Amino acid sequence: MSADKKIWTWQGSLQDHVRFLVHLPFFFVAPLLMPPKAVETIHLSVNSINKCPFCTGLHCEIGRMAGLKDVTAVNECGKLVSQEENNEFGIFSQYGSAFGKYNGRGEVVDELYQMIANEKGVMIARSVQGLAYFLTWGSMSGNTLVSFYRGTLRGNMKEGSNLVFELLFALYYSVLFAVITAVSKILSYFPSSVPSIVNILLGLVLAFTASLWIIPYSLLGLIVTPFLLQNVQYDPLGGEYEAVV
């Protein structure tokens, strides 16, 4: 696994899961309000930065089913190759890439969010933000698992990580990501450009399934972080920044 891929420390995972809980309603709202192409543009553009193999497998298939022209290009560099798609969804790919690059915070992310709110409305902007958090959860979880299985178990633990945390994290999340791998394989047999209702239902099912793991972890974070972390928040690579939801 590349040394520069973002993985969680135990501190960052707890507080980030609390953050995901705050944005969880928009995991469900977004597929109902936004076209499938827009939804997958956001997911793939965030993953163009975070480079999670589980997310690549799943969302490249869902993006293909949504009708995106070149899902590989969006997943690898966060850019839409079709001029028509770029005109319609380009702001979403810009936001997703910036969200991944700056961990969801900073002037660039805030400015793009405001542009979406002004052009598309606040509910769409909140939905876009929710989708970016959703993919961040998936990619950070996936990369943390890959780091454990391909690195730590082979005697190559990433600097700053913790063996007990990685082991517990793997025990908690491995089943879910094994299911994600199986679903990705099944979806590879589906045709491209399926009816929108298929992607909408798939998005809702994914959000519901993920919430079964996110909510208990988030509740643990709500209980633990006030005592252990006080007002300090840790980014995925171990640095500190002010706690902002």
Side-chain angles (χ1 to χ4, degrees):
M1 178 172 178
S2 175
D4 61 354
K5 282 193 177 182
K6 293 184 285 186
I7 69 169
W8 268 316
T9 60
W10 70 268
Q11 302 99 323
S13 73
L14 286 170
Q15 286 212 344
D16 281 349
H17 273 74
V18 174
R19 194 181 240 187
F20 300 140
L21 184 64
V22 172
H23 295 276
L24 185 64
F26 290 95
F27 295 4
F28 294 89
V29 171
L32 299 173
L33 291 184
M34 302 177 64
K37 283 186 179 182
V39 170
E40 292 311 312
T41 294
I42 297 158
H43 283 150
L44 290 166
S45 57
V46 174
N47 198 53
S48 73
I49 303 297
N50 290 355
K51 305 293 185 184
C52 167
F54 295 100
C55 299
T56 294
L58 180 64
H59 289 287
C60 280
E61 294 299 343
I62 299 176
R64 176 185 60 78
M65 290 166 58
L68 284 175
K69 300 294 184 184
D70 191 341
V71 292
T72 302
V74 187
N75 186 63
E76 290 182 354
C77 57
K79 295 181 179 179
L80 294 159
V81 296
S82 162
Q83 188 60 50
E84 179 183 353
E85 289 178 346
N86 191 57
N87 291 339
E88 191 170 359
F89 308 122
I91 186 65
F92 299 141
S93 66
Q94 292 176 49
Y95 180 85
S97 298
F99 193 101
K101 182 177 181 179
Y102 299 109
N103 297 318
R105 57 188 186 272
E107 287 186 11
V108 175
V109 176
D110 292 343
E111 288 175 2
L112 287 168
Y113 175 88
Q114 195 57 52
M115 286 176 61
I116 294 170
N118 292 340
E119 292 179 15
K120 312 289 186 179
V122 173
M123 282 298 291
I124 294 296
R126 290 299 304 274
S127 297
V128 170
Q129 185 182 54
L131 289 171
Y133 275 113
F134 192 13
L135 198 285
T136 298
W137 162 79
S139 58
M140 292 291 295
S141 298
N143 284 343
T144 302
L145 289 174
V146 171
S147 178
F148 174 69
Y149 285 114
R150 297 183 184 175
T152 301
L153 288 184
R154 298 178 181 178
N156 187 27
M157 182 184 293
K158 189 168 182 178
E159 183 179 354
S161 193
N162 178 286
L163 178 59
V164 175
F165 160 69
E166 287 194 14
L167 179 60
L168 292 174
F169 192 90
L171 288 172
Y172 187 76
Y173 268 124
S174 290
V175 170
L176 174 61
F177 279 78
V179 171
I180 288 172
T181 301
V183 169
S184 301
K185 181 63 175 178
I186 293 169
L187 293 180
S188 69
Y189 295 101
F190 279 58
S192 300
S193 302
V194 299
S196 295
I197 187 63
V198 175
N199 282 80
I200 292 170
L201 292 175
L202 184 56
L204 294 174
V205 169
L206 290 175
F208 174 76
T209 305
S211 69
L212 297 179
W213 273 262
I214 292 172
I215 291 173
Y217 204 124
S218 302
L219 295 177
L220 176 64
L222 282 171
I223 295 168
V224 170
T225 53
F227 299 100
L228 297 184
L229 303 182
Q230 298 180 351
N231 293 323
V232 176
Q233 179 147 359
Y234 293 75
D235 75 15
L237 300 179
E240 299 180 4
Y241 59 90
E242 293 181 3
V244 179
V245 174

